[in-house]
Amino acid sequence: MKNVMNKRFIIEIMLLLVVISGLWSCYDDKGNYDYKNLISLQIDTSGIKAEQTAYQFENFNVPVDVKYAGDEKNLSYEWKIYPQEPKKDDDVQKYDSAVVLYTKAVFDTVIYEVPGAYYLTLTVTDKAQDLKDYFTIKLNVETLVSRGLCVMDEKNGLYDLNMIKSAKLLTDITIEEEQVYYHVYSGVNDTEVTNGKFLGRGTSSDNNVLYFFTENGGLKLDVNTYEITSNDFTSWFSFPMSVTAAPGAYVITSRPLEMIVTNGLVYVWDHMSMGVTTFGDRLDGDYEAAPYLPNISTSSFSSVIFDMKNKRFAPINQFGSNVGTFESTSTGEFDLNDIGSTKELKFMENGFNSYTYAVFYDTETSGYSLYVMDFSGTTATPVKKYSMAECEGLTESSLYTFGNQGNVCFYASGSDLYQYKYASTNKGAVVHSFSGETITGVEVFKNSGHAKDGKLLIVSTESGGEGKVYLVDFNELTGAITGGTTDPYTGFGRIVDVLYKE
C-alpha cells in the first residue's frame, strides 16, 4: 500500500511540473508579442557564382536582388574589395585594407584593381532598424590590355596611355571583339604626367617593363597592369650623379642590350653580364648622339649612332662597351666618317634588306637627301645617297618611315601622306590626304613573324584637339594603299607615340 501511494505522489508531482512548464511557456510566448515586428531584409544571390573573373579596365556586373519590405530610402549599400592574401605595408606596419568600390545595390562599374585574387563583398544596411546583411564572392581580376597598340596622348597638357585592341594586330580576336581602353595609366595610378615624350619596351626576363619616357626622365610600368614600378629615372643607372635626365632614344637588342640616349650620351645595360642590374656609366668618346638608335644586332654592331658634334656615323659594338669609329669611306657613295658640317639628321631607322635609312637636311642648300647604309655585316658599307629634290611637300617638320619588306618609304606633311619611290623614280607624291586633319605620326608596323609585318602603316592625326589612329593596309612591295583610311580609332587627345605590345 505504501508503494502505491509513493507512485501516485510521483505521478502527481510530474503532472504539476508539466502544468507549470506550460504556463511558463505561455508567459514567454505572451512576452514575445510585446516586441514590434522587424521588416525583413535579404540579399537574394540566386544564380550568382561564388567565384568569378573580372577584367581590369572592363565593366563588371553582379546582379544581386535586395529584397526589402520597407522604404528603400532606409537602405545603404557598400561594395568593398580586398586581397585574398593581404600584403603587409612595412612602412606603416599595416595590412591591406578593404577599398570601397561602389555604393549601389547592383554592382556595375569598371574594375581598376591590379590583377590578382580578391574578395568582393556587399554590405546592405537598414539604417532605420540598424540591420545588416552580407554577401561575398571570390573575384579574380585579370587584364585585357596586356596586348595591343599602346597609345600615348596629350590633352590639356596632361599625358596618358590608352590601348587599342584591333583585329588587324591581334589575330585571335574578331572585329566585333575590338575594344579601345582609355586613360589606362591615370586610371590605375590615379596620377597624371605633364611632360610625356615617347614609349619603350624592356623585354628581358629581369626587366620586363613598359617605359613611359618624359622630357626630364621617365617611369617604369608593369607591362600588364600599367602600375608604376619606378619613377626615379637616375636610379636606373650605376652612376646616377653623372646622368642628365633628358631621354631621346631607347632600343633593346637581341643580346639583349638595353640602350638609352639621354642628353646626347649613350648608356647600356648588358643583360648577359652576370650581376649587372642597371645601366652602366656613359659610353666613352667624343660624341653627341642624335635621338635615334636603330636595332642592328649583328656580330659586329649592336647599334649605330649619328654623332651630331662631329657629323659622322659611329658604331656601338655588339657588347655595348664603346662608341667606335668607322674607317673612312671617302671613295664610296659617301663617307660614314664625314657626312658634312651643314647636314642635320631628321630621321633614322632600319628598313628593307636590313639597311639603315637616314634623312638629312642641308642647311646650306636647303635640300634633303636620303642616305642608305649597310651595317648588317662585319663591315659598314655606304650603299646609296639619293637626292630628295623631287619629293613634293617636304618641310623641316615632315615625318618619315621605311618599310622592311620592300623599297617603300612614306612621309607626311600637314594632312598629306606621301610615298617616296627612292629605288625607281626617286620621286615623292601624295598617296592619300586626311582632309581637315593634321598627321602627327606615321610608322610602318614591324614585327617579325606577324601576318602584318611590313604591311601595315600606323597613322595618327589631330583635328581640333581630337586624336585619331588609322591602321592603313598597303602592299609591302609597291607601297600602294589598299585600305584602312576611312575607319579610324577615335577618342584620343593629340597622339605623341604608339608602341605595339604583344
Side-chain angles (χ1 to χ4, degrees):
M1 185 71 177
K2 184 177 181 180
N3 287 338
V4 172
M5 290 294 294
N6 287 339
K7 287 180 181 180
R8 182 180 296 173
F9 178 75
I10 291 172
I11 292 172
E12 288 175 351
I13 292 298
M14 292 178 65
L15 289 172
L16 179 61
L17 290 174
V18 169
V19 172
I20 293 173
S21 177
L23 290 173
W24 185 259
S25 297
C26 290
Y27 178 80
D28 277 352
D29 187 52
K30 182 177 181 300
N32 287 339
Y33 291 110
D34 289 339
Y35 292 91
K36 182 180 178 181
N37 283 329
L38 296 177
I39 299 174
S40 62
L41 171 64
Q42 181 187 11
I43 303 174
D44 185 355
T45 60
S46 302
I48 298 178
K49 295 180 180 179
E51 185 168 0
Q52 299 188 43
T53 298
Y55 294 98
Q56 191 183 29
F57 314 120
E58 283 279 282
N59 199 81
F60 183 65
N61 179 269
V62 185
V64 299
D65 182 14
V66 177
K67 297 185 180 299
Y68 182 62
D71 187 347
E72 292 187 359
K73 293 180 180 179
N74 294 330
L75 300 182
S76 66
Y77 312 92
E78 192 173 65
W79 288 91
K80 289 184 177 181
I81 194 168
Y82 56 97
Q84 291 185 25
E85 296 182 6
K87 295 181 180 179
K88 190 175 183 180
D89 188 335
D90 292 332
D91 292 337
V92 295
Q93 294 295 309
K94 182 180 178 182
Y95 285 92
D96 294 331
S97 57
V99 176
V100 177
L101 295 185
Y102 209 60
T103 56
K104 295 181 181 180
V106 174
F107 189 87
D108 190 14
T109 190
V110 175
I111 296 290
Y112 286 107
E113 268 56 40
V114 299
Y118 296 88
Y119 291 110
L120 180 65
T121 182
L122 168 64
T123 302
V124 181
T125 302
D126 180 348
K127 295 175 289 185
Q129 302 182 110
D130 195 26
L131 290 178
K132 296 179 184 291
D133 199 10
Y134 305 91
F135 168 65
T136 300
I137 63 171
K138 289 183 177 180
L139 187 66
N140 300 309
V141 177
E142 299 179 1
T143 178
L144 284 175
V145 294
S146 297
R147 300 180 303 133
L149 188 66
C150 188
V151 179
M152 180 198 293
D153 71 347
E154 175 271 329
K155 186 176 291 186
N156 299 322
L158 300 177
Y159 293 75
D160 212 332
L161 299 183
N162 313 272
M163 176 62 73
I164 298 174
K165 293 179 72 71
S166 165
K168 287 185 179 180
L169 296 175
L170 304 177
T171 56
D172 57 342
I173 69 172
T174 64
I175 293 177
E176 291 72 24
E177 294 173 319
E178 290 188 340
Q179 293 280 350
V180 180
Y181 301 93
Y182 301 99
H183 311 300
V184 175
Y185 168 81
S186 61
V188 170
N189 297 288
D190 193 27
T191 187
E192 307 282 0
V193 174
T194 58
N195 53 2
K197 193 170 184 181
F198 64 98
L199 299 171
R201 173 71 191 277
T203 56
S204 59
S205 59
D206 53 345
N207 193 43
N208 188 18
V209 299
L210 174 66
Y211 286 108
F212 191 155
F213 290 107
T214 65
E215 293 288 347
N216 59 355
L219 308 164
K220 285 185 182 182
L221 308 179
D222 184 286
V223 293
N224 293 315
T225 68
Y226 295 81
E227 188 176 19
I228 297 172
T229 60
S230 172
N231 60 3
D232 183 0
F233 180 77
T234 57
S235 71
W236 308 346
F237 300 82
S238 299
F239 302 94
M241 298 300 292
S242 67
V243 176
T244 299
Y250 168 85
V251 72
I252 184 166
T253 73
S254 58
R255 179 172 165 81
L257 298 176
E258 288 190 60
M259 293 185 194
I260 288 180
V261 171
T262 181
N263 194 41
L265 301 174
V266 181
Y267 298 79
V268 175
W269 179 352
D270 184 358
H271 291 272
M272 293 293 288
S273 294
M274 187 173 296
V276 176
T277 59
T278 61
F279 291 91
D281 200 2
R282 55 157 289 184
L283 298 190
D284 287 334
D286 178 31
Y287 66 91
E288 182 184 359
Y292 300 97
L293 283 172
N295 190 340
I296 311 297
S297 295
T298 69
S299 59
S300 298
F301 315 119
S302 58
S303 190
V304 171
I305 66 165
F306 180 71
D307 175 8
M308 296 186 293
K309 180 179 180 180
N310 300 295
K311 302 296 183 179
R312 66 185 180 107
F313 290 97
I316 300 174
N317 67 4
Q318 68 177 89
F319 303 107
S321 57
N322 64 74
V323 174
T325 302
F326 286 123
E327 293 183 6
S328 177
T329 54
S330 57
T331 58
E333 280 284 316
F334 52 89
D335 190 346
L336 293 172
N337 268 328
D338 185 9
I339 297 300
S341 62
T342 61
K343 299 296 194 304
E344 293 181 353
L345 180 66
K346 293 298 180 181
F347 183 76
M348 181 167 64
E349 74 169 347
N350 274 19
F352 186 50
N353 284 331
S354 296
Y355 292 163
T356 301
Y357 296 76
V359 177
F360 284 93
Y361 173 70
D362 192 321
T363 58
E364 184 177 52
T365 66
S366 299
Y368 294 84
S369 300
L370 171 63
Y371 288 64
V372 183
M373 298 145 288
D374 184 3
F375 299 124
S376 62
T378 56
T379 60
T381 304
V383 176
K384 187 74 174 177
K385 176 184 175 181
Y386 298 92
S387 168
M388 301 177 72
E390 295 193 65
C391 288
E392 301 174 6
L394 276 183
T395 70
E396 287 199 52
S397 57
S398 292
L399 307 168
Y400 306 87
T401 188
F402 289 84
N404 60 339
Q405 303 290 343
N407 288 305
V408 174
C409 171
F410 294 101
Y411 64 95
S413 297
S415 300
D416 295 325
L417 178 67
Y418 299 80
Q419 184 188 354
Y420 175 31
K421 297 183 178 181
Y422 58 87
S424 55
T425 64
N426 197 34
K427 295 181 179 180
V430 175
V431 289
H432 184 77
S433 182
F434 295 87
S435 181
E437 303 171 23
T438 300
I439 300 174
T440 59
V442 58
E443 177 181 328
V444 171
F445 174 69
K446 299 172 185 175
N447 189 277
S448 180
H450 195 287
K452 290 291 185 180
D453 179 33
K455 304 175 185 179
L456 193 68
L457 188 64
I458 304 171
V459 180
S460 59
T461 70
E462 179 187 16
S463 177
E466 180 189 11
K468 300 179 182 179
V469 175
Y470 295 82
L471 299 183
V472 179
D473 298 291
F474 69 92
N475 183 292
E476 71 274 24
L477 300 179
T478 68
I481 300 298
T482 59
T485 58
T486 60
D487 49 353
Y489 297 90
T490 62
F492 307 101
R494 177 180 63 89
I495 294 168
V496 179
D497 196 16
V498 297
L499 182 144
Y500 176 64
K501 290 170 69 262
E502 59 178 342

